[in-house]
Structures are given as C-alpha cells and as structure tokens.
Amino acid sequence: MFISTEEEQIALSPNNAKHSLISPPMESSSGSLDGSSPVSDSPDSPVIADVNVFPEHLKMELEQSIANLEEEIVQLRLKKKSFDVKRRDALNKILDIKGTIRVFCRVRSFLVTERRKVNEPILTESEKIAVRSAGVKKEFGFDKVFNQTSSQEDVFVEVEPILRSALDGHNVCVMAYGQTGTGKTFTMDGTNDQPGIVPRALEEIFHQASLDNSSSLSFSMSMLEVYMGNLKDLLAPKPVCRAYEPINRCNLNIQTDAKGLVDIEGLTEVQIPDVTKAQWWYNKGRRVRSTSWTNVNEASSRSHCLTRITIFRHGDALEAKREVSKLWMVDLGGSERLLKTGATGQTLDEGRAINLSLSALADVIAALRRKRGHVPYRNSKLTQILKDSLGDGSKILMLVHVSPCDEDVGETICSLSFAKRARAVESIRELSEDLRKQREKKMAELEGDMREAKVECQKVGNQINEAEFLLREKKKLFSTTYGLLEDEKTPISPKETLKESIKTPRVSEKAIRRSISNSLPRFMTSTVASRQRQGTAEREISVINVRARSLRSGSRSSMQFSHSQSLSFLDPRFKVMLRTSNKKPRYGEPDILTESRKANSGLDSKTIFVPPPRSKMVTSSDPNLKATLCRHRRRMSDFM
Ligand SMILES: Nc1ncnc2c1ncn2[C@@H]1O[C@H](COP(=O)(O)OP(=O)(O)OP(=O)(O)O)[C@@H](O)[C@H]1O
C-alpha cells in the first residue's frame, strides 16, 4: 500500500498499514511530549502513528453512506413526484368542476373626473351583479364579481389557481373584455404601484419554478398585437433601416399543424431566464403597442394585445419527455358603440375591426360552450391564434369589465350579456340545491387533498435538500481524503454541469471553508502561518491589480511603485493582468443566445439577444411636449 506525504511516498507492508490505521491520533501526540516514541505493553500494539494514513474501513463506510444517500434521494424524488401528481390531479378536478370557461366581472372604481349619483346603477354581490336601467333591474351571475373596492391583489388571488394549471401542463387563456375605458389594461398591466395580472403572473411563475425541484421549468415570451386584422410582433428587434423606411413588424403567418397546434411563423420568442428579464421584455412590448386618444379614454388601446408565456417542463431524468404549455394573457381592444367614442376615420375603422373580432370570439366560446362539432375559429385572426388554447383540455378565464357610471348602463348591459353567453356549461344557478351541495362537498374534499399534497411535497422537498447537502459534503470529504470517486472520474457533459450549477443552492465562501475545515483531519487544515502567507499573497495581487487599473486610466501617481513591487510593461504577469481586466463586458453588450445555449434551453424558435435591463426611462421634462405626447399616443409610424 502506498501512502503519500508531501515530500515522499513510503511503501508499507499491509501489516504496517494496519498498525498505522488503528493508531489513535491522541497516542501519537502524547508520546512526543518527552521527545520519545510511545511505548506499548503489547508487542502487537502500534509503535508509530502515521497521521497521513486513512483507515480502509472508514473509506468503505464513507463510500457506503454516499451510495445510501444517493439511493435515498432517488426514493425521495419519486415520493415527491407522486405527491405532485396528486396535487395536479386535485387542482385539475377542481377547475373542471368550476368549469373550463370561467367568467369574472370587475366593476371599475369611479375616476376623479366622474360624478357619483346617489342611486348608483350597479349593485354587486360576491357572484352576482344587478344593473338598474330605466326602472328595470337586470341580474347576471358570474363565477366571481369584484366590486369597486377590490384591489389588484384580490383579483390575482382568484386568477392564481389557473396560472398554476398552466405550470402543470395545460394551455391557459386569461382575457380582459369590456367597454373602452372600463379598466382592462389596468387589470392586465396595472401601474407601478398597483401591478396587474401580467407582472404578477411573471413573478409567480418564477417563484413556483424555484420551489419545484422535481422537474425544471424554463420559459419564453412572445408578444403580439392584432390590429385591424393584421398581426404585429411587439418584441421584434428594430431593423437597421433608413429613417423614411417604415419598420415591418407584420410578416407573421398563423400555421396549424396536424395535431391542431398553432404556430405563428416569424414571431419573436425571447428566452426569459428570470423575472427581471421577463419584466424588461414585457415593458418593451407594451411601449410598442398602438393606442389612441378617444372621447372615452385618453390612451385607448386600439387593438388586442396578446402576451404568450411558453412553459417548458423537463423531467428530472435527462431522457424524460418535455412538456410544453402556453399561458396567454390577452388585453382585448375596447368593445364600444362607435358613435359614443366619437371615433372617425382610422379610429372608427379600428373600432369596427375590434368589434368584428370580438363577435368572432363570442361565437367560438358559444360553440365550445354548447360542445358543438364545428367551432368557427377561422373567422378572425384572434381566434385562429388562440385556437389551441381555447379548445379541449384548456382553461379559459374571461374578466369582463364594466363602468360604474349611469351614462354607461347600455354598454354595461351589452358587456354583461356577452359574458353571460360565454359562461361555463353548468351555471351554478341552474343546478338543483342537492347537486349544488354535492358539488361544494366534492370541491372541499379536493381542496383538502390538494393542500395536503402541497404540504407533503414541500416536506419531501426539504428532505431532498438536506440529503443533497449531506451528499455533497460527504463527496467533498471523500475527494479531499481519498481522491475522486469512481463515478466522478468520468467527464460530465456541459448540460449536467449547467443543471448542477442551477440546482446547487448558494453557500457563502466562508461557510464552505468552515464546513471543509470541520470535516477534514486537523493536519490538513491551514495553520496560522499558512493563512498569513496566503493573505499577504492575495494582498499583493490586489495592490498590483489596482495599480494596473490606474495605469490604464493614465494616472501618473499610481505608477510610483516601490522597488520591491515594481512591475515593468514587459513583465508577462503585468500583460496577463491587463488582458484579463479588459475582458469585462461593456455596458449594454447583448447576451447573445448561441445555438448551443438555445438547444440547452429547449427553445426552437428564432434566436434573439437578451440585453440587460435598462434602469433609465426616456421622458420629456418639457410640459408642452408632455401634453402633446399624451394626446398622440398612437405609435403607428412603424406600422405597415
Ligand atoms: N379598478 C380601478 N381602480 C382605479 N383606476 C382604474 C381602475 N380601473 C381603471 N382605472 C383607470 O381608468 C382609466 C381607464 O382604464 P384602462 O385604460 O385600463 O381602460 P381600458 O378598458 O383598457 O380602455 P381601452 O379599451 O380604451 O384601452 C385609467 O386611467 C385607469 O387607471
């Protein structure tokens, strides 16, 4: 057996090795107190203790415990997966009972410019809304009604389970419908202080993805606008063209494959690795959207704005099948009586186009509701795009918006009637009392199951984290003591390395050092002297780095090196330092998605760079210019 020390390798007989293995370190240290070797009564007892020799049985024990931990992690992952399947099933059943087409209603709060009447025309309950018009009261039932005091948070709490089902692999479509100026954009986008559904959904999906360690989720985003029957790519990079040349963002084709899956050819799809990048792209897309001033809304959306999040779910095994689902969040253009909005010319045409596509959407939803064989998806671009997210196995949530004002009552009744037609097959009100009770009981049971499965999932997830941490520590101890493990000697593919780096939780350098020094034999840890030597070396390097930096910036004083520290331009160390310090990426340098990274991410659409989020917004401080900008929000110059 060979035992290595720093200076030499000594060949020992198995007998010697055995002796040194069983020598407790205390004996060796105590024996050296008087400078003599430890004396033993028994002739078989060890005489010399070699601290650099590691017991063979300890090595085997360590190997065994590593193997046990690996097995335990596999079992825990399977257990977690089964709880996750249970939770997904329960959620899916709940959503099915509630109806695959759900309709909520939100009443906008009064604006400061609006006058309130003593007898307000709208009365709300949790699932009912009544409208008084010309002495007649009309009632409409919904899955949920949000009154004027409801916050963005209240709305999102109800939307969240549907988002969750998108992460579970279902296609989901959340749409805001309503008369112009009733708060569709407010609900979907919101403001900085009161973020709406889309920014909250982006945060939520990343939060859920961070909790889920049984499979890895990745996301990509696309945004488009349906304007006057044309599709406009809102995330397309601005092509380099001359100022007078219009930007063509509209060369998009809707394709449906044999399985009925929709693909929009030429649509930009960006990878969103984190929530900051996702928000950055979303804000970019919003700025390109077409809006216009009308009598009713100073920044009226003149189109349907569609945000698509594609969710890629990879199983933990590399060969596991990849699931892809889509989450559509749609801010529909305002339904309006064209006379009332005072629209003329192009704005009038825009209004007509919006109304046509909304009625096509109503027809599709009505056909789905009646489960009719033929669903007229082809009647508008909007319904063609959403085809695979409106059909079987998909979940639809429509949020109908109404105004609280008396003068809007006619429009309010139109919107509520549209929503009534779109409601799920079995409206709760149509069910008998008995069936209603049974339904509620079943839902309560399923909700209990879902909660339980979620808690169990969390518990097992924590156990997995603990076991993985322990495994890493043991492997580290093994490799520092005995060299690399057999399975670690084979080269790891870059994909696995990437996966590992994503999954490994961040531990501070200090904590790692502490854990290593605790797990190592004492003789292997650094001494005070070695730490001092290392510290001095590190300080020297940082001083040289600082000087090199100042040298680049042309500072003369920093050139005055002391004799012992001076560096010449010809010194190779100095050249290397200059080179490496220049390698830092410059501000604004785009992060290009290379083909290999794209392959890793599982994206199969267009390559696109991901620039870092900019912190500065371009605004006008000139009040005149501000007013002009406000009234002319239409950004159609780049539209063809
Ligand atoms: N729940 C609400 N609370 C406070 N303010 C609201 C609410 N809903 C809407 N608003 C305000 O009402 C105005 C019109 O809202 P918004 O632009 O969202 O309407 P819209 O339905 O999207 O209109 P359009 O169809 O013309 O685009 C905005 O100033 C918005 O801030």
Side-chain angles (χ1 to χ4, degrees):
M1 179 179 176
F2 287 98
I3 301 154
S4 324
T5 62
E6 257 183 10
E7 293 83 20
E8 58 188 347
Q9 284 192 332
I10 309 159
L12 288 180
S13 70
N15 205 24
N16 281 346
K18 190 178 157 226
H19 283 169
S20 55
L21 292 178
I22 56 166
S23 306
M26 277 308 290
E27 279 182 18
S28 62
S29 57
S30 62
S32 60
L33 273 177
D34 57 357
S36 61
S37 300
V39 181
S40 172
D41 304 336
S42 154
D44 284 343
S45 300
V47 178
I48 297 164
D50 189 339
V51 287
N52 286 355
V53 179
F54 308 111
E56 194 61 30
H57 74 273
L58 283 185
K59 182 182 176 186
M60 277 161 65
E61 267 173 27
L62 196 53
E63 271 176 336
Q64 188 55 48
S65 73
I66 286 174
N68 289 348
L69 271 172
E70 280 172 340
E71 177 57 27
E72 193 186 326
I73 289 169
V74 170
Q75 293 306 326
L76 283 171
R77 285 216 179 109
L78 286 175
K79 199 169 162 191
K80 184 162 185 267
K81 203 165 201 157
S82 75
F83 282 123
D84 197 43
V85 168
K86 207 169 156 193
R87 182 198 58 74
R88 283 163 77 163
D89 276 357
L91 174 65
N92 206 28
K93 280 182 190 151
I94 292 171
L95 292 178
D96 281 348
I97 292 176
K98 284 183 174 176
T100 46
I101 304 171
R102 308 194 68 209
V103 188
F104 295 170
C105 178
R106 185 176 196 183
V107 184
R108 170 172 60 69
S109 53
F110 278 98
L111 302 178
V112 277
T113 49
E114 288 169 342
R115 254 188 297 143
R116 291 180 87 126
K117 280 207 167 177
V118 185
N119 282 330
E120 284 178 13
I122 308 269
L123 297 166
T124 56
E125 285 175 34
S126 73
E127 291 176 358
K128 221 187 275 177
I129 178 166
V131 187
R132 261 197 302 258
S133 161
V136 183
K137 192 170 149 189
K138 287 191 174 173
E139 276 190 7
F140 300 86
F142 288 99
D143 295 296
K144 182 85 199 160
V145 173
F146 300 101
N147 62 25
Q148 295 172 37
T149 57
S150 299
S151 65
Q152 302 279 64
E153 175 70 32
D154 296 336
V155 176
F156 190 70
V157 165
E158 295 293 328
V159 177
E160 209 190 314
I162 297 189
L163 292 182
R164 184 70 243 199
S165 90
L167 292 173
D168 289 345
H170 296 274
N171 287 347
V172 168
C173 190
V174 180
M175 290 182 277
Y177 173 89
Q179 178 197 350
T180 190
T182 47
K184 298 179 293 296
T185 309
F186 182 80
T187 298
M188 297 309 282
D189 291 354
T191 57
N192 286 345
D193 304 336
Q194 302 172 67
I197 289 175
V198 184
R200 283 172 196 263
L202 293 176
E203 240 171 64
E204 183 61 22
I205 58 171
F206 282 101
H207 172 65
Q208 291 295 341
S210 70
L211 296 180
D212 190 347
N213 58 4
S214 67
S215 57
S216 63
L217 291 165
S218 56
F219 309 99
S220 67
M221 183 196 257
S222 297
M223 279 178 86
L224 75 153
E225 182 175 53
V226 182
Y227 176 80
M228 307 257 280
N230 284 314
L231 309 189
K232 180 176 165 186
D233 188 347
L234 297 180
L235 298 185
K238 235 179 175 175
V240 186
C241 58
R242 295 192 185 92
Y244 55 82
E245 282 176 351
I247 299 167
N248 189 356
R249 295 175 189 264
C250 305
N251 52 347
L252 304 174
N253 268 324
I254 306 168
Q255 303 281 344
T256 312
D257 68 11
K259 287 183 194 160
L261 296 176
V262 178
D263 179 38
I264 303 162
E265 241 179 34
L267 180 67
T268 306
E269 185 164 10
V270 292
Q271 196 193 358
I272 44 171
D274 54 50
V275 69
T276 319
K277 287 262 163 56
Q279 304 272 21
W280 186 88
W281 280 109
Y282 178 61
N283 289 334
K284 181 181 156 66
R286 275 192 333 160
R287 283 196 295 271
V288 184
R289 199 183 166 187
S290 316
T291 57
S292 174
W293 180 89
T294 69
N295 284 355
V296 185
N297 188 358
E298 74 154 22
S300 178
S301 317
R302 309 310 300 152
S303 59
H304 309 300
C305 176
L306 297 93
T307 305
R308 182 182 72 188
I309 308 294
T310 310
I311 301 160
F312 303 90
R313 195 186 178 96
H314 314 257
D316 39 10
L318 277 179
E319 69 281 2
K321 221 180 105 210
R322 192 184 66 161
E323 284 177 34
V324 182
S325 54
K326 295 178 200 172
L327 166 63
W328 283 103
M329 291 175 279
V330 187
D331 180 5
L332 293 167
S335 64
E336 53 206 2
R337 281 202 226 137
L338 299 169
L339 261 178
K340 182 174 179 184
T341 51
T344 52
Q346 190 171 6
T347 309
L348 181 69
D349 292 341
E350 290 165 355
R352 278 197 192 118
I354 290 171
N355 284 352
L356 272 176
S357 54
L358 286 177
S359 83
L361 177 68
D363 292 343
V364 164
I365 294 181
L368 289 170
R369 189 174 69 89
R370 287 196 296 269
K371 293 202 173 9
R372 272 213 326 229
H374 174 69
V375 183
Y377 290 111
R378 294 195 66 82
N379 288 355
S380 80
K381 287 274 166 67
L382 178 69
T383 48
Q384 282 177 45
I385 295 168
L386 297 177
K387 187 179 172 188
D388 60 2
S389 302
L390 292 178
D392 276 347
S394 314
K395 319 274 175 210
I396 304 169
L397 172 61
M398 182 171 279
L399 287 137
V400 181
H401 292 77
V402 293
S403 151
C405 304
D406 204 24
E407 57 270 29
D408 291 323
V409 160
E411 292 276 4
T412 300
I413 291 175
C414 277
S415 297
L416 294 176
S417 306
F418 172 92
K420 193 181 166 188
R421 284 201 306 275
R423 268 198 86 194
V425 194
E426 324 88 18
S427 158
I428 305 170
R429 283 195 306 164
E430 288 159 16
L431 298 174
S432 68
E433 191 58 30
D434 247 15
L435 279 175
R436 207 183 150 120
K437 274 190 184 152
Q438 274 181 26
R439 185 181 182 272
E440 273 163 16
K441 196 174 156 214
K442 182 80 192 153
M443 292 247 291
E445 270 172 26
L446 286 167
E447 267 162 16
D449 288 352
M450 195 174 79
R451 263 196 304 275
E452 210 175 279
K454 206 171 166 183
V455 171
E456 287 300 327
C457 243
Q458 196 74 46
K459 248 194 241 168
V460 181
N462 291 342
Q463 287 172 2
I464 293 175
N465 287 344
E466 278 168 25
E468 279 178 341
F469 177 76
L470 216 62
L471 179 66
R472 273 196 304 277
E473 290 300 306
K474 296 221 169 193
K475 280 187 168 177
K476 225 184 284 168
L477 175 63
F478 190 96
S479 59
T480 43
T481 320
Y482 306 107
L484 283 181
L485 277 163
E486 273 314 306
D487 59 344
E488 284 176 338
K489 282 178 190 163
T490 48
I492 304 166
S493 71
K495 195 169 178 178
E496 281 172 86
T497 321
L498 182 74
K499 218 173 150 190
E500 181 63 24
S501 68
I502 292 166
K503 279 190 176 172
T504 312
R506 279 193 187 172
V507 185
S508 73
E509 213 180 309
K510 214 172 171 183
I512 290 171
R513 269 197 211 141
R514 207 182 309 129
S515 79
I516 289 176
S517 59
N518 286 343
S519 59
L520 286 179
R522 230 182 117 214
F523 74 92
M524 289 179 80
T525 58
S526 55
T527 60
V528 175
S530 74
R531 278 198 296 275
Q532 272 173 357
R533 271 199 307 278
Q534 193 185 348
T536 319
E538 278 172 5
R539 268 196 304 281
E540 257 178 35
I541 288 179
S542 66
V543 165
I544 293 170
N545 264 334
V546 167
R547 296 196 173 186
R549 233 175 285 136
S550 339
L551 182 65
R552 273 200 314 282
S553 63
S555 160
R556 262 165 175 265
S557 58
S558 60
M559 287 290 289
Q560 292 157 1
F561 292 159
S562 73
H563 176 69
S564 62
Q565 290 168 328
S566 68
L567 269 181
S568 136
F569 274 108
L570 299 172
D571 190 321
R573 278 180 301 153
F574 190 45
K575 279 184 187 168
V576 167
M577 256 177 335
L578 279 179
R579 245 199 325 268
T580 46
S581 51
N582 274 335
K583 267 185 192 161
K584 220 171 132 194
R586 276 161 292 154
Y587 172 75
E589 211 169 67
D591 172 11
I592 312 278
L593 275 184
T594 60
E595 280 305 314
S596 63
R597 274 181 58 196
K598 207 171 65 162
N600 277 339
S601 70
L603 291 181
D604 42 15
S605 57
K606 285 164 66 176
T607 307
I608 192 79
F609 67 82
V610 184
R614 259 182 260 165
S615 56
K616 215 173 154 192
M617 284 261 294
V618 181
T619 53
S620 167
S621 54
D622 178 354
N624 293 332
L625 185 54
K626 245 183 186 168
T628 320
L629 279 175
C630 232
R631 283 193 176 70
H632 294 279
R633 294 267 181 91
R634 185 195 301 273
R635 282 180 284 266
M636 302 303 294
S637 57
D638 57 353
F639 194 85
M640 263 184 65

